[in-house]
């Protein structure tokens, strides 16, 4: 840095200043830095850096598809922007803000030649002969055109009113002329403007660049027929109107579906139907990517949630994903109980499964573990991990001078508090099953059962990586509402639900950003053309946004006949939407509770060991519904967990 400053001072390093329409990649990194990169104490929303508009840095093929405008919307705005004069006064007013009209433009409009002749006879307008061009101009705007074409001949000769007489340079006059034409033209090329004015394209480009600096005009490829070598220019307000019309057309393409049909769509979207379940070890990664950030009891993941979505699920598949470093399990929810109370049982601990690359991002939302009073064994294990780093179970037991059973109890306490996790899901699985149930009486499957439920297969245990505790709650809220984090959460919710709206957040963790922050991110993504906004689910208030790939499936769900199909799910499943999308009280999100849907309508509930029917069913149908309600897809290898 000192060498750079000395080079700048001596003149050996030359500095060039450039005015750009958006930050460079290096400057964008500085503008989007964390709050601690700024020395002032101003809130984030009040900083001037927030007023700088920037686009995503994408390859040309991807950037061309984002924010693509509707050709019909472009033509509609062009029609609306062009004047529709019915008498001489209206044509005079239109000619004032357009600055000029060509003879061909006047001839194309019905009745305009007669109206223009009337204005000429009243000496309110004249026709200028500029080489091959014939331009109609009002007496008030005559100084603009005469500055551009000094030797133009007037027919008939008119005098500029004293109030409008002015001396302008050719550059300033051209800027005002181009400004007027853009207000009534919509997207237009430099070549088209040059042909209208009879001036060189280089002069038109200079005027357009000045208008772009003012923020009046914007450049881009707006119409589908626009070539990559000939950009178009459009007045900013007209471009915003084109975009609004495009968004309205996209929103009107789908009719809202009923809540029951939306639930049937979710059954297919989250693959809980018999025909939609995935198969094989690769299915685990796809399902976990969809459920990333969802909070469920530790005992429910392998007994209720994953087996419902993966046929013949094997726990070794999840262990492979964790040991390979693709996914990690942890607790993100902060413990808000009394510090004197002990940790809750591991089975009821809210656990999330996350892609390891996104762990730090999600940790910003979960916050820090609350201060609690650890037991003596928990203190020993926590201190050992803090001193020695990630360690295997036998190292923990010997290093902390605890018996294996005591070390397991200490790890269970730390896991319940969200302070530690292991490389493999087998570590959590071992804590869920009592030690006396881990070894079967028969020896045929002994080795496999020990591998599935033993602490030896857990890999290393380590402290959970969390962000340093901020100085205040306001600092946490400010960091949690960064654009990057909100966008990741929105994309994750769209991957999980297909359609997002405020009511669905009731099924998500309470540490997610508030809906108002997610809503702003959804609006940005819709403006870029990456997601769709509209009314997708009937009976739900507020704004709704959908992933583009979900639109066709929503249409299919609406057209699909009701054939009495049953879907039985646990209360801890994400699709337990009783009381959220359907009328009635909510079903507690406990692994022991269950809900039975029939064609997307809750038909029966199992809560507290009692079955409650919500729909009128015959005796035979009640018997079938009861059997389906109690039936679960728990693998035999995980029977002890259930």
């Amino acid at each position: 840095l000192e060498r750079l400053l000395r080079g700048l001072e001596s003149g050996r390093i030359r500095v060039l200043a450039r005015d750009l329409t958006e930050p460079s990649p290096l400057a964008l990194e500085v503008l989007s830095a964390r709050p601690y990169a700024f020395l002032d104490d101003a809130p984030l929303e009040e900083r001037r850096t927030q007023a700088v508009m920037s686009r995503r840095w994408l390859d040309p093929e991807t950037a061309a598809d984002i924010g693509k405008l509707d050709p019909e919307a472009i033509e509609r705005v062009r029609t609306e922007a062009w004047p529709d004069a019915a008498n001489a006064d209206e044509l005079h007013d239109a000619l004032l803000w357009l600055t000029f009209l060509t003879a061909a433009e006047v001839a194309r409009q019905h009745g305009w030649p007669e109206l223009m002749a009337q204005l000429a006879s009243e000496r309110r307008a004249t026709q200028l002969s500029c080489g091959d061009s014939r331009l109609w101009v009002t007496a008030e705007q005559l100084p603009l055109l005469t500055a551009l074409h000094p030797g133009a001949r007037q027919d008939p000769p008119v005098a500029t009113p004293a109030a409008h007489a002015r001396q302008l340079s050719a550059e300033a006059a051209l800027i005002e002329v181009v400004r007027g034409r853009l207000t009534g033209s919509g997207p237009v090329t430099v070549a088209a403007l040059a042909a209208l004015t009879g001036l060189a394209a280089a002069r038109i480009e200079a005027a357009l660049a000045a208008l772009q600096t003012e923020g009046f005009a914007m450049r881009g490829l707006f119409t589908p027929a626009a070539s990559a070598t000939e950009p178009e220019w459009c007045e900013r307000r007209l471009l915003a109107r084109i975009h609004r019309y495009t968004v309205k057309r996209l929103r009107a393409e789908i009719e809202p579906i009923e809540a029951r049909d939306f639930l049937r769509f979710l059954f297919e979207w989250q693959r809980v139907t018999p025909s939609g379940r995935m198969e094989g070890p690769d299915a685990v990664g796809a399902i976990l990517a969809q459920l990333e950030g969802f909070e469920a009891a530790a005992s429910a993941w392998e007994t209720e949630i994953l087996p419902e979505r993966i046929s013949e699920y094997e726990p070794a598949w999840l262990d492979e994903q964790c040991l390979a470093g693709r996914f990690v399990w942890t607790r993100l929810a902060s413990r808000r109980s009394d510090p004197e109370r002990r940790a809750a049982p591991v089975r009821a601990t809210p656990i999330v499964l996350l892609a390891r690359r996104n762990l730090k991002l999600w940790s910003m939302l979960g916050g820090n573990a609350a201060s609690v009073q650890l037991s003596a064994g928990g203190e020993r294990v926590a201190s050992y991990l803090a001193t020695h780093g990630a360690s295997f179970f036998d190292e923990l037991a010997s290093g902390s001078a605890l018996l294996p059973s005591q070390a397991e109890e200490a790890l269970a306490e730390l896991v319940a508090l969200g302070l530690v996790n292991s490389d493999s899901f087998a570590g959590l699985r071992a804590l869920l099953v009592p030690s006396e149930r881990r070894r079967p009486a028969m020896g045929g499957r002994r080795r496999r059962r020990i591998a599935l439920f033993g602490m030896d297969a857990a890999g290393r245990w380590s402290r959970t990586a969390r962000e340093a505790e901020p100085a205040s709650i306001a600092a946490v809220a400010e960091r949690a509402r960064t654009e990057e984090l909100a966008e990741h959460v929105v994309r994750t919710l769209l991957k999980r639900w297909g359609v997002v709206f405020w009511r669905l957040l009731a099924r998500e963790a309470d540490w997610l950003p508030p809906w108002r922050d997610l809503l702003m991110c959804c609006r940005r993504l819709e403006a870029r053309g990456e997601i769709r906004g509209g009314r997708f689910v009937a009976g739900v208030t507020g704004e709704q946004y959908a992933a583009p790939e979900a639109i066709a499936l929503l249409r299919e769900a609406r057209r699909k006949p009701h054939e009495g199909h049953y879907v039985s799910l646990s209360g801890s499943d994400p699709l337990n939407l009783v009381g959220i999308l359907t009328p009635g009280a909510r079903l507690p999100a406990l692994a022991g509770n269950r809900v039975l849907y029939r064609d997307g309508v809750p038909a029966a509930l199992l809560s507290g060991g009692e079955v409650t029917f919500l729909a009128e069913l015959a005796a035979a149908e009640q018997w079938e519904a009861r059997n389906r309600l109690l039936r679960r897809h728990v693998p035999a290898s995980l029977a002890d967990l259930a």
Side-chain angles (χ1 to χ4, degrees):
L1 178 60
E2 292 177 353
R3 288 196 299 270
L4 175 63
L5 294 176
R6 283 196 293 268
L8 293 174
E9 185 178 7
S10 64
R12 182 172 52 87
I13 299 177
R14 193 159 51 97
V15 178
L16 300 178
R18 291 291 183 267
D19 290 333
L20 304 177
T21 57
E22 61 184 25
S24 66
L26 178 60
L28 185 63
E29 291 294 329
V30 178
L31 289 173
S32 59
R34 300 292 185 189
Y36 53 72
F38 300 93
L39 299 179
D40 62 324
D41 296 327
L44 180 64
E45 60 273 9
E46 295 180 8
R47 294 197 179 102
R48 290 295 302 159
T49 57
Q50 296 300 108
V52 179
M53 300 299 295
S54 62
R55 302 180 181 92
R56 294 172 60 90
W57 294 92
L58 302 172
D59 58 279
E61 292 78 8
T62 304
D65 293 333
I66 293 180
K68 185 179 294 184
L69 300 176
D70 181 23
E72 295 181 1
I74 295 175
E75 291 302 322
R76 177 181 175 184
V77 170
R78 280 175 174 164
T79 303
E80 294 175 352
W82 189 254
D84 185 15
N87 53 54
D89 291 335
E90 291 180 359
L91 183 57
H92 181 266
D93 291 339
L95 197 54
L96 280 175
W97 54 266
L98 280 175
T99 66
F100 74 89
L101 284 170
T102 64
E105 290 173 337
V106 173
R108 283 197 300 265
Q109 301 294 325
H110 177 70
W112 278 22
E114 294 80 6
L115 298 177
M116 194 64 72
Q118 179 182 347
L119 292 176
S121 64
E122 297 173 357
R123 296 299 190 267
R124 299 168 63 186
T126 184
Q127 188 180 60
L128 297 180
S129 298
C130 312
D132 297 334
S133 301
R134 299 293 184 269
L135 307 179
W136 284 98
V137 59
T138 63
E140 293 85 351
Q141 298 288 30
L142 187 58
L144 295 178
L145 275 298
T146 54
L148 296 177
H149 302 283
R153 183 173 56 87
Q154 302 179 21
D155 182 23
V158 298
T160 302
H164 297 275
R166 48 183 170 165
Q167 293 292 331
L168 294 173
S169 64
E171 292 76 11
L174 182 56
I175 291 174
E176 295 304 318
V177 168
V178 173
R179 186 196 307 272
R181 293 299 302 190
L182 287 180
T183 57
S185 302
V188 64
T189 62
V190 173
L193 289 174
L196 289 174
T197 58
L199 300 174
R203 297 181 63 184
I204 300 295
E205 288 182 352
L208 289 171
L211 292 176
Q212 185 184 31
T213 303
E214 295 179 14
F216 180 84
M218 301 189 71
R219 180 176 58 178
L221 300 176
F222 304 120
T223 59
S227 63
T229 59
E230 190 177 11
E232 296 173 304
W233 295 81
C234 186
E235 197 265 334
R236 183 184 61 183
R237 293 180 296 106
L238 295 182
L239 186 60
R241 191 189 307 175
I242 293 173
H243 185 76
R244 287 197 302 271
Y245 289 164
T246 301
V247 171
K248 289 180 180 179
R249 184 191 63 81
L250 293 175
R251 290 187 172 190
E253 285 185 352
I254 181 172
E255 298 178 3
I257 64 176
E258 299 296 331
R260 63 181 301 177
D261 294 329
F262 180 59
L263 279 167
R264 293 198 300 164
F265 156 80
L266 288 176
F267 297 155
E268 297 289 344
W269 184 262
Q270 293 198 14
R271 300 182 178 276
V272 297
T273 59
S275 60
R277 290 192 182 97
M278 303 185 72
E279 298 179 355
D282 294 337
V284 177
I287 295 300
L288 292 184
Q290 190 177 55
L291 299 179
E292 181 179 357
F294 181 78
E295 199 174 66
S299 61
W301 278 104
E302 290 196 303
T303 60
E304 304 292 351
I305 298 177
L306 294 180
E308 290 288 348
R309 292 160 172 79
I310 304 175
S311 298
E312 300 181 0
Y313 168 77
E314 289 293 337
W317 298 345
L318 180 55
D319 294 338
E320 293 174 1
Q321 294 287 337
C322 294
L323 290 173
R326 300 187 186 95
F327 290 90
V328 62
W329 61 269
T330 185
R331 173 178 181 167
L332 288 181
S334 300
R335 188 171 180 268
R336 299 182 176 88
S337 58
D338 187 353
E340 299 297 329
R341 293 180 56 187
R342 293 296 182 90
V346 179
R347 296 180 64 86
T349 300
I351 294 296
V352 295
L353 284 160
L354 309 170
R356 186 178 290 274
R357 63 180 180 274
N358 299 327
L359 177 58
K360 290 185 178 180
L361 203 60
W362 286 101
S363 297
M364 294 172 60
L365 288 173
N368 298 275
S371 176
V372 292
Q373 184 68 32
L374 295 177
S375 63
E379 287 283 1
R380 289 188 181 184
V381 172
S383 300
Y384 184 86
L385 289 175
T387 304
H388 298 82
S391 306
F392 292 98
F393 178 73
D394 55 348
E395 297 173 339
L396 282 175
S398 60
S400 57
L402 296 175
L403 296 174
S405 58
Q406 294 174 326
E408 286 189 24
E409 293 178 0
L411 285 175
E413 179 184 5
L414 297 176
V415 167
L417 295 173
L419 299 178
V420 301
N421 62 359
S422 65
D423 292 337
S424 171
F425 200 83
L428 179 60
R429 192 182 302 123
L431 297 177
L432 295 175
V433 180
S435 57
E436 62 272 10
R437 293 170 57 187
R438 297 178 192 165
R439 291 174 172 77
M442 303 298 293
R445 300 176 61 190
R446 177 184 180 88
R447 181 174 300 176
R448 184 184 181 200
R449 293 293 292 277
I450 292 177
L452 289 178
F453 299 104
M455 297 295 291
D456 297 336
R460 298 176 304 170
W461 291 87
S462 58
R463 295 290 296 266
T464 303
R466 295 292 176 89
E467 294 285 328
E469 186 172 357
S472 64
I473 298 178
V476 176
E478 185 177 7
R479 294 173 58 192
R481 286 196 292 268
T482 60
E483 182 176 341
E484 177 188 6
L485 180 58
E487 183 171 334
H488 180 74
V489 172
V490 167
R491 293 185 184 277
T492 302
L493 294 177
L494 284 171
K495 187 181 298 183
R496 177 148 58 245
W497 302 106
V499 181
V500 294
F501 43 88
W502 71 270
R503 193 178 295 181
L504 280 179
L505 293 188
R507 196 62 190 91
E508 296 289 340
D510 56 3
W511 37 261
L512 286 182
W515 173 244
R516 60 180 179 273
D517 296 331
L518 300 180
L519 182 60
M520 297 303 296
C521 180
C522 288
R523 291 173 179 172
R524 287 195 299 268
L525 294 178
E526 184 192 19
R528 296 205 298 255
E530 299 185 42
I531 65 176
R532 300 277 293 274
R535 183 66 55 189
F536 303 99
V537 183
V540 178
T541 59
E543 298 184 36
Q544 303 175 20
Y545 295 88
E549 57 270 19
I551 303 298
L553 295 178
L554 287 169
R555 295 193 186 101
E556 293 179 6
R558 184 176 63 249
R559 293 192 296 261
K560 188 179 298 183
H562 298 161
E563 299 176 349
H565 291 165
Y566 287 97
V567 175
S568 177
L569 299 171
S570 169
S572 58
D573 195 279
L575 295 178
N576 171 22
L577 299 174
V578 178
I580 299 176
L581 290 182
T582 63
R586 294 181 58 177
L587 178 67
L590 303 177
N593 295 341
R594 298 191 69 80
V595 55
L596 179 67
Y597 292 101
R598 183 182 183 185
D599 282 336
V601 178
L605 301 177
L606 175 64
S607 179
E610 297 182 359
V611 176
T612 304
F613 291 98
L614 304 179
E616 293 291 337
L617 300 176
E621 292 177 334
Q622 287 189 8
W623 176 259
E624 179 185 4
R626 186 184 296 272
N627 290 336
R628 291 180 178 272
L629 187 64
L630 300 176
R631 191 179 304 162
R632 295 186 294 175
H633 299 278
V634 181
S637 57
L638 293 173
D640 291 332
L641 284 180

